[in-house]
Amino acid sequence: MSLTQLINNLVANASLLLAGLYIISRLTCLGFTTKLPLRRQVTISFLLAGLSVLITLHGVLWNAQADFQYGFVPIMIAALYFGLSGVRITYVASILVLPFILSETLLLIAFLDYSLAALVSVAFLHFRERIIPSRDIRIVNGISLGFITLFSLLNFYTYDQAETYVWTFLAFLTIGYAAGFVLHIVYGGIHKMQRSERLISQYKEAAFTDALTGIGNRRRFEEEMKRVDEEVFTGTQDVALLLLDIDHFKSINDTYGHDAGDVILVELAKRLNDSARSDDVVCRNGGEEFTVLLSDCNLSQGFVIGKRYLRQIAETPFVLPDGSSIDVTVSIGIASTSEAKVVTSAQLTKKADVGLYVAKRSGRNRLGKWKELKAN
């Protein structure tokens, strides 16, 4: 094999490493980080082990030797990102597969490569437990280029001329440095994109979350109403809307203070959220007014759920900051897309609001419907 062919093969081997790490990183969605759940860390460690074996096999098939290839790098990355558990899984999984694809001589060299990579990574973790994300790839590349000299010296006897070995070794170092530099840039870009995606997701979640209660806010409710217009009225499933208002909330604030009022709002939101089904949407529209959008629910089913809310709220007292407790009730208005005269989300909201007025006028702690004179 000529030096030009060998260099081409080394470039291909380095490209395989970069492509494999990029694909694994994108598949994880969150990138490589110790903050990932244990199951995700184990999965990525096995993927890195597979990448190690694939890179080694590629190097052997193209170069007919095992010293100039990057199969050990994924092991080091697993160690640096996932600690001892990462290096154990990746190293052991790689070693168990290698005997099936390499001859005894090449197996010994690859085994030494993998073992030294694991040992150096563990030693590095011992002295530095936390790796700065912007430097970790450069550290991996620096370590790999540092002890690759030892790997290649063990295979020096396979070269007919010392000059060929020197040029091959220099080419490997150059390509290795370039690969590490590119990997640093690629991973840095991925890291920034993932951080931006997380921040955007957090900001979006905050924009649709009520700061006090942690449930959806009015903006979230308005977005759900848009979805009702776009999907529900054009589909086959109905939804029901419960509009809840705490009875005599102003007098509670005046008597017990606004801190007590906030505690009641938080507790009510928790009770509504705990009782809601997985597809229901609970929001605080402002002040003491809450909404529960009941998915796949007609008017009669909504009445059953609404009355259950009335009982659950009225039967259990609310504990105030000073340790005392008071009874709190709510009035509820209900409307549903199953009703003939409800054909838009605006009408759905308006009818529920009228139902709430009926419930208040009928004595509170009741469930009211817009076309009834008296609430239930």
Side-chain angles (χ1 to χ4, degrees), residues 42 82 106 270 277 283 329 376:
V42 171
F82 305 138
L106 296 178
K270 182 178 183 300
R277 300 169 300 173
C283 297
T329 62
N376 295 294

Side-chain angles (χ1 to χ4, degrees), residues 28-320:
T28 65
C29 297
L30 298 175
F32 302 131
T33 169
T34 54
K35 294 182 180 180
L36 286 176
L38 179 60
R39 182 180 299 178
R40 183 71 65 85
Q41 292 187 34
V42 171
T43 301
I44 297 175
S45 296
F46 275 112
L47 290 175
L48 289 172
L51 181 60
S52 290
V53 174
L54 181 62
I55 292 173
T56 299
L57 181 60
H58 173 274
V60 170
L61 292 178
W62 278 39
N63 299 338
Q65 55 196 49
D67 53 344
F68 291 112
Q69 48 84 24
Y70 293 92
F72 58 88
V73 175
I75 297 177
M76 299 175 66
I77 291 179
L80 292 174
Y81 281 91
F82 305 138
L84 293 177
S85 60
V87 70
R88 287 194 191 105
I89 296 173
T90 308
Y91 173 74
V92 172
S94 302
I95 292 301
L96 290 177
V97 176
L98 286 179
F100 297 98
I101 64 174
L102 300 179
S103 63
E104 292 183 2
T105 303
L106 296 178
L107 176 62
L108 179 62
I109 297 174
F111 177 77
L112 182 60
D113 285 2
Y114 286 17
S115 299
L116 286 177
L119 289 174
V120 170
S121 299
V122 172
F124 182 82
L125 287 176
H126 178 73
F127 293 104
R128 185 173 181 177
E129 296 180 355
R130 301 183 66 181
I131 308 301
I132 300 175
S134 61
R135 298 178 182 175
D136 45 18
I137 298 299
R138 285 180 291 183
I139 292 172
V140 171
N141 196 46
I143 294 175
S144 65
L145 294 179
F147 67 74
I148 192 62
T149 304
L150 178 61
F151 296 164
S152 60
L153 286 174
L154 295 174
N155 208 36
F156 177 77
Y157 68 92
T158 60
Y159 292 87
D160 297 331
Q161 298 179 354
E163 182 180 1
T164 303
Y165 170 79
V166 172
W167 281 109
T168 302
F169 180 68
L170 291 176
F172 183 87
L173 290 180
T174 302
I175 296 170
Y177 179 80
F181 181 74
V182 172
L183 182 58
H184 172 67
I185 294 176
V186 170
Y187 177 78
I190 295 173
H191 182 76
K192 290 179 180 178
M193 287 189 295
Q194 291 165 346
R195 183 173 181 273
S196 298
E197 291 172 357
R198 288 195 296 269
L199 288 175
I200 291 173
S201 177
Q202 292 172 0
Y203 292 150
K204 185 176 180 180
E205 184 66 23
F208 289 91
T209 302
D210 179 62
L212 176 64
T213 62
I215 62 176
N217 57 15
R218 186 170 187 84
R219 182 177 297 179
R220 172 68 187 278
F221 174 74
E222 291 172 351
E223 287 295 317
E224 289 299 322
M225 289 300 100
K226 291 179 182 178
R227 183 183 64 82
V228 169
D229 281 326
E230 295 171 357
E231 300 178 9
V232 175
F233 287 108
T234 59
T236 58
Q237 292 184 341
D238 291 307
V239 298
L241 177 64
L242 301 180
L243 184 59
L244 301 89
D245 189 88
I246 301 176
D247 296 329
H248 305 295
F249 187 70
K250 184 179 183 302
S251 63
I252 293 176
N253 275 332
D254 293 340
T255 304
Y256 300 97
H258 289 280
D259 289 343
D262 288 346
V263 169
I264 291 174
L265 291 173
V266 172
E267 176 62 21
L268 177 59
K270 182 178 183 300
R271 294 187 188 184
L272 294 176
N273 208 37
D274 290 345
S275 299
R277 300 169 300 173
S278 59
D279 292 334
D280 296 341
V281 180
V282 182
C283 297
R284 179 191 175 201
N285 285 30
E288 67 272 25
E289 183 179 283
F290 293 79
T291 56
V292 181
L293 184 63
L294 304 171
S295 64
D296 193 15
C297 184
N298 58 32
L299 186 63
S300 60
Q301 293 169 329
F303 259 97
V304 174
I305 296 174
K307 289 182 178 180
R308 185 177 72 227
Y309 275 127
L310 287 176
R311 291 194 304 272
Q312 290 175 343
I313 295 169
E315 291 174 356
T316 306
F318 286 65
V319 180
L320 301 182

